[in-house]
Amino acid sequence: MVWGLAAGFYLVALFHRMSLGVASLDARERFDLSAGDIATLSALQLGLYLAMTIPAGLAADRIGPRRALAIGLVLMAVGETAFGLATAAPLALGGRALVGVGDAFMFLSVLRLAQSWFPAARYALLASLTGMAGAIGQIGTTVPLGLALDGAGWTATFAGTGVLTGALAIACVRL
């Protein structure tokens, strides 16, 4: 049960990671950005994700994977909410940066939980299923996010996903 919920957190992380790709045309209009500026938002998010994976993995070992997951979820929630409320590029950039940093805490922490809760013989299966949860998050970003942006608009969509991620952080703390 704990691992399943944690894998669900990874699904959410991949949803957030891919959301800018779905919303890039809307972001371009909202912030009056060039295609290169949109690429900068993505590159910053991915770069911070990559730079933070080792510190996030160390945090999972030092403070425990549940706390590391909660930290990641909070960072992503704040970042996605800021991105949704942003009306100018600097706040949008900061929001995407927080999403990238928060995302770095997810995968390794889920694997750490799997390693702690299950016998070694199941670890490869659980690592594969965790990766599959992430793939579902990537796929799940496309149509639902596009429909939400068309129906509810930018602010409601991104602030709403930020708030939902914050609620998941609370659930994570109560694991």
Side-chain angles (χ1 to χ4, degrees):
M1 179 67 175
V2 171
W3 169 84
L5 188 56
F9 299 155
Y10 184 60
L11 182 150
V12 170
L14 270 285
F15 177 91
H16 289 304
R17 187 187 302 173
M18 301 307 295
S19 65
L20 182 58
V22 174
S24 61
L25 295 177
D26 294 309
R28 191 172 175 189
E29 283 181 30
R30 181 175 178 92
F31 305 119
D32 192 30
L33 299 173
S34 68
D37 294 333
I38 295 293
T40 299
L41 286 172
S42 293
L44 174 71
Q45 177 184 335
L46 182 61
L48 286 171
Y49 163 77
L50 292 172
M52 290 300 298
T53 53
I54 291 173
L58 293 172
D61 287 339
R62 182 162 298 218
I63 64 172
R66 291 180 195 181
R67 287 185 182 139
L69 284 167
I71 289 168
L73 288 165
V74 167
L75 290 169
M76 287 190 303
V78 171
E80 199 76 351
T81 303
F83 189 61
L85 297 175
T87 57
L91 184 56
L93 193 63
R96 295 319 292 176
L98 288 173
V99 169
V101 172
D103 183 8
F105 283 83
M106 307 313 315
F107 187 67
L108 294 174
S109 296
V110 176
L111 294 182
R112 184 75 172 87
L113 269 175
Q115 181 262 334
S116 297
W117 280 74
F118 293 95
R122 290 198 180 162
Y123 185 75
L125 173 65
L126 292 169
S128 298
L129 291 173
T130 301
M132 188 169 63
I136 292 168
Q138 288 177 325
I139 293 167
T141 305
T142 54
V143 174
L145 185 62
L147 291 173
L149 285 166
D150 288 342
W154 181 277
T155 301
T157 298
F158 284 107
T161 58
V163 168
L164 288 173
T165 303
L168 291 175
I170 293 168
C172 181
V173 169
R174 296 183 180 201
L175 279 178

